[in-house]
C-alpha cells in the first residue's frame, strides 16, 4: 500500500517536474515591422506677386485753362505700365507733364504675371474769368487840314509898315513849325499857303507889296527851322481881307499878320498879281 503511494507520488512529482520545466522554456516573440517612412514632400513655387501701384498723382489737381499739371507714378511687380489719354506705355516710375483743356481723368494700368492693377488721377480745369467788357472809346473825329491849321497854328503879327520878324512873331512861328511839320506829314500831298495881310492904311498897291514881304519873311523863318520850302507858298492879300474892320490901333494890329491856309495846287510862290489871284503888283 505504501509502495503504491510512493509510485503515485513519484509519478505526480515527475509530472510536476516536467510541467515546471515546460513553463520555464522561452516562447519566441514575433518581430514588429518598422514604421513606414513619411511620404516625400514636393516643393511648390509661390504664386507671382500681383502688381502694386504705390503712387499715381496729379500735381496740382486743379489748374487754370492753358496751364499744366504733372502726373507722377510708381509701380512694383509689373511688366507693362500704360497711361491713357494718349500718353501710352511708360516706365514703372516717372512723371509726365500734361496740358488738359478740360477736366480729365487719367487711368494707369499695371500688368504682370500676378495680375493687373489700376489707379486714377483727376486734373480739374478752371476757365479764366471773362475779360471785363471794354467800353469802346469813340474815335476822335478826323480833322481836315484846314481844321488842323485853324486849331494848331497861330498867326504871326507885324509892326506898322514893317515886315521883319519881331520877338512875339518869332515865338509864334517857332511853335507853328512843329505843328506844320506834323500836318505836312499827315497830309503828304498838301501845300501850306502863307498869307500876307496889312491894315487899311495906305494904297492897295503898297499893301500888296508889303503883305508879300511879310509872307516871305515868315516862310524864310520857317525854312530856317527845317520846314520844306517846296511845300510852303506865299500870297499877299494886302488890305483886301481884314479880320477886323474897326478903325483903331487894336484892330489895325490884328490885320498886320501872316496867316496860314491850305492849297492843293502845285507848290510855288504867288502874290495877288499871280495868274490865279487878284490883279495888281506884288514883290
Amino acid at each position: 500500500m505504501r509502495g503504491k503511494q510512493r509510485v503515485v507520488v513519484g509519478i505526480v512529482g515527475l509530472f510536476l517536474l516536467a510541467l515546471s520545466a515546460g513553463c520555464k522554456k522561452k516562447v519566441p516573440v514575433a518581430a514588429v515591422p518598422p514604421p513606414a517612412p513619411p511620404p516625400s514632400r514636393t516643393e511648390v513655387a509661390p504664386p507671382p506677386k500681383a502688381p502694386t501701384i504705390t503712387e499715381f498723382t496729379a500735381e496740382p489737381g486743379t489748374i487754370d485753362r492753358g496751364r499744366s499739371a504733372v502726373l507722377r507714378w510708381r509701380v512694383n511687380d509689373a511688366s507693362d505700365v500704360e497711361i491713357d489719354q494718349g500718353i501710352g506705355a511708360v516706365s514703372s516710375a516717372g512723371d509726365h507733364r500734361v496740358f488738359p483743356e478740360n477736366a480729365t481723368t487719367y487711368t494707369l494700368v499695371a500688368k504682370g504675371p500676378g495680375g493687373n492693377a489700376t489707379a486714377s488721377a483727376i486734373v480739374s480745369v478752371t476757365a479764366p474769368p471773362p475779360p471785363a467788357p471794354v467800353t469802346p472809346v469813340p474815335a476822335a473825329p478826323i480833322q481836315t487840314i484846314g481844321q488842323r491849321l485853324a486849331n494848331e497854328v497861330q498867326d504871326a503879327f507885324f509892326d506898322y509898315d514893317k515886315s521883319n520878324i519881331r520877338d512875339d512873331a518869332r515865338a509864334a512861328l517857332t511853335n507853328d513849325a512843329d505843328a506844320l511839320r506834323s500836318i505836312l506829314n499827315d497830309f503828304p500831298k498838301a501845300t501850306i499857303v502863307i498869307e500876307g495881310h496889312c491894315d487899311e492904311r495906305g494904297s492897295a498897291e503898297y499893301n500888296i507889296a508889303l503883305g508879300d514881304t511879310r509872307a516871305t519873311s515868315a516862310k524864310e523863318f520857317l525854312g530856317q527851322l527845317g520846314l520844306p520850302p517846296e511845300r510852303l507858298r506865299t500870297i499877299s492879300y494886302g488890305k483886301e481881307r481884314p479880320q477886323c474892320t474897326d478903325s483903331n490901333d487894336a484892330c489895325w494890329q490884328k490885320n498886320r499878320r501872316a496867316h496860314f491856309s491850305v492849297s492843293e495846287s502845285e507848290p510855288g510862290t504867288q502874290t495877288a498879281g499871280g495868274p490865279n489871284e487878284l490883279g495888281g503888283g506884288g514883290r
Side-chain angles (χ1 to χ4, degrees), residues 19-72:
L19 181 60
S20 174
C23 290
K24 292 180 180 180
K25 185 176 181 180
K26 292 182 179 180
V27 178
V29 179
V32 179
S40 60
R41 300 177 61 183
T42 303
E43 295 291 334
V44 178
K49 293 181 179 180
T52 55
I53 302 172
T54 60
E55 179 185 11
F56 186 46
T57 59
E59 299 176 3
T62 300
I63 61 172
D64 292 332
R65 182 169 295 157
R67 307 300 293 272
S68 66
V70 176
L71 300 177
R72 289 190 174 87

Side-chain angles (χ1 to χ4, degrees), residues 6-212:
R6 291 176 181 170
V7 172
V8 173
V9 173
I11 293 172
V12 172
L14 290 173
F15 176 78
L16 292 175
L17 180 62
L19 181 60
S20 174
C23 290
K24 292 180 180 180
K25 185 176 181 180
K26 292 182 179 180
V27 178
V29 179
V32 179
S40 60
R41 300 177 61 183
T42 303
E43 295 291 334
V44 178
K49 293 181 179 180
T52 55
I53 302 172
T54 60
E55 179 185 11
F56 186 46
T57 59
E59 299 176 3
T62 300
I63 61 172
D64 292 332
R65 182 169 295 157
R67 307 300 293 272
S68 66
V70 176
L71 300 177
R72 289 190 174 87
W73 65 90
R74 184 175 298 276
V75 181
N76 296 326
D77 303 315
S79 56
D80 297 296
V81 181
E82 292 186 358
I83 301 176
D84 64 356
Q85 303 296 343
I87 298 175
V90 295
S91 61
S92 59
D95 57 63
H96 184 83
R97 189 173 296 274
V98 292
F99 297 82
E101 288 295 316
N102 299 294
T104 303
T105 299
Y106 296 89
T107 301
L108 182 148
V109 178
K111 300 178 181 179
N116 300 336
T118 62
S120 297
I122 299 175
V123 178
S124 299
V125 179
T126 59
V134 178
T135 303
V137 178
I142 299 176
Q143 292 183 318
T144 66
I145 185 172
Q147 291 171 327
R148 294 278 301 275
L149 288 171
N151 295 331
E152 301 175 29
V153 180
Q154 56 187 319
D155 291 345
F157 295 98
F158 296 87
D159 289 330
Y160 172 70
D161 201 25
K162 297 288 177 40
S163 60
N164 58 297
I165 306 297
R166 66 191 193 187
D167 290 343
D168 62 331
R170 183 182 300 273
L173 292 172
T174 299
N175 291 332
D176 290 343
D178 292 334
L180 291 170
R181 190 175 292 109
S182 174
I183 293 170
L184 291 173
N185 183 67
D186 293 341
F187 297 88
K189 295 183 179 181
T191 299
I192 303 298
V193 178
I194 305 174
E195 303 173 359
H197 294 270
C198 304
D199 64 36
E200 64 185 37
R201 293 170 293 179
S203 67
E205 293 78 5
Y206 183 85
N207 284 319
I208 285 291
L210 181 58
D212 181 59

